[in-house]
Amino acid sequence: MLHVRSIWNGAISFGLVSIPIKLVNATESHSISFRQVHLDDGGRIRYRKFCEAEDREVTTEEIGKAYEDADGTLIPITDEDLAQLPIPTARTIEIVAFVPADRIDPLQMDTAYYLSANGVPAAKPYTLLREALKRSQKVAIAKFALRGRERLGMLRVVDDVIAMHGLLWPDEIRAPQDVAPDTSVTVRDKELDLADALMDTLGEVDLADLHDDYREALEELIAAKASGVEAPAAPTGEKTGGKVLDLMAALEKSVRAAKESRGEGEETGEAAEVTRLPARTAARKSARTAPKEVGGKKSTAKKTAAKKTTAKKATTATTAKKPASKTTAHAATKKTGAKKTAAAKKTSPRKRTSA
């Protein structure tokens, strides 16, 4: 750990025990950064620092700190002023309590650091605190000062190293009011069962297997432009998102897709049961089983069928209820000997042909 550049040197105050430590960053960013350029000629855009009083550019060595009061007055604050603040955490990580880890709300988690023992004499008390944290299965709550402000921290053990997570102060956490849906929604047991099935099907994941797809695609784009070749095309596929019209169908489809991605669908022969929402089911069932009513709405298919059979209806009350086929109409005409209808005349050439 000593080869990593420390960002802060101090000590851990553990009661009357003092543990000299170095603070190093536990995380690093792999994000790709961009420069601002002039679109016309590609020139770099740079910011220059000017003094308003003298109207000239100044160097970093000439720049200090000041607090702007409510009336606009600037109150100078020097590094010496900050170093002499009467607080015990100026160069000390002061442990104030030990609590169970589940007492810490993840919303409070901030930057993570590693604490490295600073020198050989620090090895024994460092190891003592580390083993005490392990055996107690608790985390230490501490206060420390860094970059001009006092902060809250949580110490825990990671492998054989003591790590510290910066914590936001409780009053820095916003209340979640007015964030939840403001409409009343009822979730049925069937929907919860499908959600549980989807969670079980997706299973767990090793976080080490996850990677930044966006950064990889961005690196490929930059490499292609630098080589003067065509940039990779965006993948084409089924668009996701949008308005969910049938929550049950969406959940069932998700379960099927998760099983297929894991190769479980073909092996087990299982298929999720497609169930429609109750309102749709009742509406469709009613449309299929409801008796015909005079003046009621009919489907387009029924209207088309009615138009086709109107010309074929016979004058009797029986045939008015149900349109007769060509064979039935021909048989009825032959039995009664009634005058031939227009439909019977049309079928006479066919009778001569069949004879």
Side-chain angles (χ1 to χ4, degrees), residues 194-207 210 254-255 257-259 261-262 264:
L194 277 173
D196 290 340
L198 178 58
M199 293 167 63
D200 293 338
T201 305
L202 292 176
E204 298 181 356
V205 66
D206 185 353
L207 295 180
L210 301 179
S254 300
V255 172
K259 287 184 176 181
S261 66
R262 293 174 177 269
E264 297 179 5

Side-chain angles (χ1 to χ4, degrees), residues 21-65:
I21 56 96
K22 292 182 178 182
L23 191 71
V24 299
N25 284 319
T27 61
E28 58 185 1
S29 174
H30 293 161
S31 298
I32 297 175
S33 59
F34 297 99
R35 301 291 187 187
Q36 289 185 331
V37 296
H38 188 199
L39 291 178
D40 288 346
D41 51 25
R44 281 281 306 277
I45 301 298
R46 297 181 183 273
Y47 293 98
R48 302 181 185 274
K49 297 180 179 180
F50 276 79
C51 172
E52 291 182 354
E54 299 181 10
D55 192 23
R56 68 175 181 87
E57 186 178 354
V58 296
T59 63
T60 304
E61 290 74 17
E62 298 178 88
I63 300 175
K65 301 182 183 69

Side-chain angles (χ1 to χ4, degrees), residues 321-339:
K321 294 181 180 178
K322 183 177 180 181
S325 64
K326 293 181 179 180
T327 307
T328 306
H330 176 61
T333 304
K334 188 174 181 181
K335 285 183 179 181
T336 58
K339 59 181 179 180

Side-chain angles (χ1 to χ4, degrees), residues 237-258:
E238 182 181 355
K239 294 182 179 180
T240 58
K243 187 177 181 181
V244 178
L245 298 179
D246 193 332
L247 180 59
M248 292 289 288
L251 285 170
E252 289 156 353
K253 185 177 180 180
S254 300
V255 172
R256 286 198 301 272

Side-chain angles (χ1 to χ4, degrees), residues 273-287:
E273 178 185 356
V274 179
T275 307
R276 300 293 179 186
L277 290 174
R280 290 192 171 192
T281 305
R284 293 183 179 181
K285 184 175 179 182
S286 174

